[in-house]
Each structure stands twice: as C-alpha cells, then as structure tokens.
Amino acid sequence: MTVPPPGAFSHTAQIDRQALVAGSIELIERLQDPTGAYPASPTFSAYAGYSWFRDGAFIADAMSSAGRVASAERFFDWCAGVIVSRSAQIGRIAAAAQAGRPLADSEMLPTRFTFDGRDGDDDWWDFQLDGYGTWIWAVGAHVARHNADPGRWAEAIGLTLDYLAASWQRPCFDWWEEHSEHVHISTLGCLVAGARAAAALPVLGAEHRQVAETLAGEIDAAIAARGVSAAGLGRAPHLVKWVGSSAVDASLAAVVGVMDVVPAASALGLATISAIETDLAVDGGVHRFVDDTYFGGGQWPLLSCFLGLAQLRAGDRGRAEQLLDWAGATVDADGAMPEQVEDHLLAPDRLEEWVTRWGPSARPLLWSHAMYIRLAVDLGRPSAREEHSA
Ligand code: BGC
C-alpha cells in the first residue's frame, strides 16, 4: 500500500506532538479508576465499565515510559488483586490440565473485568490469553526502567505462570476477540514476552523461575516451528496471523517491536514489518488484518504506533515519525483519540450494522492515547548513534 516519502513532517508536528502527549497522560490519569483499573473507553457502550488486561498493560507501559510510576503501579496492583482473588480457579484449571481433562473455555479466566475485579454481567468473547503475558511483560519493563521492587506482584505473577503453563497450547480468541478456533502468533508472542520478563525478575521462587524459563523456551520454539510463513511464497518468511495461515496481522508489530520477542532488525523481524506495511498500511494508517469488517474495517492509530515502534527498532526513524504523526492527526477538537477512523475502510458495507448495534466506534480509546505516548517517548530519545556522537 502507498507509503508517503520520508521527512514529510515539520517542526509544527513536533510541537503538537508534545501537547498531545501531555494531554494523553492527563486523560489517562483522570480516567484511571480509584481501584487502579484503566477503563478501555469511558463512553463507548460496549466497553464502558470494563478494563482489559491487554489494553491496560500497554497503557501502564506507556505511563511508565512517560515517568508516571504511580499510575502504572496502581494498575499492576489492580491486576495482582484480580489474579490472586482467582487463585482457586487457577488451581482448578491447572489440575484439570495436568490430569488431561482441560476445563471448557467458559471456565477459563475472562479477558476483561469490571473495575472492582468481577467478571461483569455482559457476555463477551472471553477466553483470550495474550493479556496474561502482556501484564507480566509490562511489569518487567517497568521494573527494569525504574528499578522498582516487584515483590508485591510476585504471587500474582507466579499464579499467572501456572495459568499459562496449563493453557498456552489451547486455541483462544485473538487480540481482536475473534477466531477462537485458532492459535494466534501474536498471542504466543505476548506469552513469550511475559515468560521472559518473569524469568528475569529477582523475586520469583526457583520453581516459578523454572516454569517461566521453560514456557519462554517452548513457546518461542512453537513460534519458530509453526508461526512463520513458508519460503517460496513470493516474499521472505514472516510471522503469520495464526498457525496454518500465510497472512499477516498488525498485532504482530508488537511482537517484533515494543515487546522485542523477535528482534525488529532480524531477517524475520524485517520481513514481518515489510508484510504489515505492504498488506495493511495505507499512508500511515494501519488496518488490523485484510478481512476485517468491524466498524467497516478502518485504520487504527494504536496500530500505526505499534508499527512505528517496530520501524524505529528496525532503524527507520523517518517512517516511525510518519506513523506517529498519522496517529496524532486522528485526535478530535476535544483532544480525544479514537479506536479507528473511517477514511479508508476495507468493508464499507459493514460499517452501518456496528453503528446501529453499539453507536459510533470508541472515542476516546485510552489504548490509542497510550500507544501515541509510547512511540513519542521513544522517538524523543536520541538514537544510539546520536548518543554516541553527542
Ligand atoms: C478490540 C480489543 C480491545 C477492546 C477494548 C476490541 O474491539 O478488538 O483488542 O481490547 O476492544 O479496547
């Protein structure tokens, strides 16, 4: 898809960028619930009142990267409380898996919770594993960044590892809460990131450290064996959407980018970035996957930022700047960023049904603001080369 030339953005964009980062931090802090939960979107009918581990972990990581230590830690405290309160359920899940009689998807942990940590009363596409890896990854990144003491999250991290060890091979819903019949490679990537982070934490007991190391190794090997497209399909092998697919999904940008599970500058990382650019990016706006029909299948600013983080790590700072500024241009007059925009729809005839069902798509979406912060923070840092020559 079309890519604008590098260097197309001016100093003015830089000034707006700082204001949008500040406004985004303020918005997230203002909307964080007293319990520590980050609402996905305060006003959108289908999300209001719920906090997701996936969105929240990336929001916490962004706040941590922007120096908002207390906000990030309040979210980790909330996650830990939710998980520890479900230790009996995790014990049942682990015992059933061990006995070779795994529990049904409906008995697994949910993907989103009310702010006070309950499942909530609304049906949802609930069995999703990625967030349980992502929250541990975010804790690990926070601990490394701020030299924080992870001791008070250790019990919950151990329980999360028990849960993942019992369930990582199961098909489940993906980042987009779709296709529960598949094993999704970006989900596996989140689990590797979480397991690696756990293994590096000094506060886990020897047994859980071993669980973390084994998990990281086994899932990494599964990605290498089953998560890469075949050679000879007309382009270099890249990470794929799910086991058996040859398509790409934009969530894979997180796996090769900010979570660094596959190094962005490796052959596999570069091929994955290139496939996302070719198949899913239109200017700086990134679609989730080619068959997306949700709200007509628009472009997601948070995915522009994930791709920008991957491009920055791969060494293409100019493209990362373009992607950030495309995302920034989706903000409205009230300073709110949306989940997606409708400028370029993959399935225009599917927009109306969602608007009728749930109203206009989510705005503000805190995860969009968070990814904008996260990429802006990284772009604000001098590159290693600039540091060296300074
Ligand atoms: C997205 C999820 C997200 C949720 C809350 C859904 O539409 O597919 O990735 O976690 O909204 O933001």
Side-chain angles (χ1 to χ4, degrees):
M1 294 184 180
T2 326
V3 175
F9 295 95
S10 66
H11 188 64
T12 318
Q14 178 74 35
I15 294 166
D16 291 340
R17 190 183 292 174
Q18 286 166 1
L20 184 48
V21 167
S24 295
I25 292 171
E26 189 276 324
L27 178 96
I28 291 170
E29 275 181 337
R30 180 161 45 82
L31 292 174
Q32 185 171 19
D33 190 74
T35 59
Y38 291 119
S41 178
T43 45
F44 182 56
S45 65
Y47 304 169
Y50 287 93
S51 179
W52 274 250
F53 268 41
R54 171 178 43 253
D55 301 37
F58 285 119
I59 296 166
D61 179 62
M63 294 300 270
S64 168
S65 77
R68 295 309 203 267
V69 171
S71 173
E73 293 191 351
R74 284 202 291 130
F75 179 73
F76 299 144
D77 290 343
W78 178 80
C79 293
V82 166
I83 288 167
V84 170
S85 75
R86 284 155 202 265
S87 58
Q89 186 182 358
I90 293 172
R92 285 194 299 278
I93 290 167
Q98 184 100 41
R101 290 190 302 276
L103 298 186
D105 289 2
S106 56
E107 307 290 312
M108 304 297 278
L109 298 180
T111 192
R112 64 179 201 167
F113 301 88
T114 58
F115 303 154
D116 59 1
R118 291 177 300 106
D119 289 26
D121 301 322
D122 307 290
D123 282 342
W124 201 253
W125 298 268
D126 248 331
F127 176 41
Q128 305 171 25
L129 289 170
D130 59 275
Y132 291 94
T134 308
W135 96 271
I136 305 178
W137 164 78
V139 168
H142 177 75
V143 166
R145 192 181 283 127
H146 296 292
N147 199 22
D149 177 2
R152 67 188 200 264
W153 306 307
E155 182 187 1
I157 290 172
L159 285 164
T160 307
L161 290 169
D162 294 342
Y163 178 59
L164 294 178
S167 51
W168 74 266
Q169 310 202 33
R170 296 172 65 137
C172 68
F173 288 107
D174 65 3
W175 270 36
W176 315 127
E177 329 207 281
E178 296 183 9
H179 292 290
S180 62
E181 72 279 18
H182 287 300
V183 173
H184 301 274
I185 307 310
S186 57
T187 298
L188 296 184
C190 293
L191 305 192
V192 171
R196 281 188 193 162
L201 287 176
V203 290
L204 286 194
E207 204 178 309
H208 274 125
R209 175 153 329 132
Q210 185 59 55
V211 173
E213 283 171 7
T214 303
L215 263 183
E218 287 182 358
I219 306 176
D220 204 23
I223 293 175
R226 297 191 290 151
V228 179
S229 60
L233 291 178
R235 59 186 181 188
H238 56 81
L239 293 175
V240 294
K241 185 168 167 59
W242 60 60
V243 173
S245 165
S246 57
V248 78
D249 187 288
S251 58
L252 293 166
V255 179
V256 304
V258 72
M259 293 196 291
D260 199 25
V261 171
V262 171
S266 67
L268 182 56
L270 289 171
T272 303
I273 291 169
S274 166
I276 295 170
E277 287 279 11
T278 304
D279 295 0
L280 300 175
V282 176
D283 297 334
V286 179
H287 294 283
R288 301 193 299 178
F289 53 98
V290 288
D291 295 326
D292 193 9
T293 59
Y294 181 57
F295 278 91
Q299 294 160 291
W300 289 47
L302 69 90
L303 290 175
S304 298
C305 296
F306 273 116
L307 183 57
L309 285 157
Q311 288 283 25
L312 186 61
R313 279 163 179 68
D316 194 341
R317 189 181 179 88
R319 179 61 177 151
E321 302 259 4
Q322 289 173 353
L323 289 158
L324 181 78
D325 287 326
W326 187 94
T330 66
V331 74
D332 70 12
D334 297 328
M337 290 180 71
E339 179 180 72
Q340 59 173 293
V341 292
E342 294 158 13
D343 306 357
H344 184 274
L345 294 174
L346 295 172
D349 54 328
R350 303 294 300 277
L351 172 61
E352 196 50 40
E353 68 191 73
W354 285 102
V355 177
T356 304
R357 182 172 174 186
W358 282 347
S361 75
R363 179 192 289 268
L365 187 86
L366 272 66
W367 191 11
S368 299
H369 285 274
M371 296 322 300
Y372 186 86
I373 295 167
R374 188 69 184 79
L375 176 54
V377 165
D378 272 19
L379 278 168
R381 290 199 189 110
S383 69
R385 199 146 47 108
E386 284 163 350
E387 268 169 15
H388 184 68
S389 60

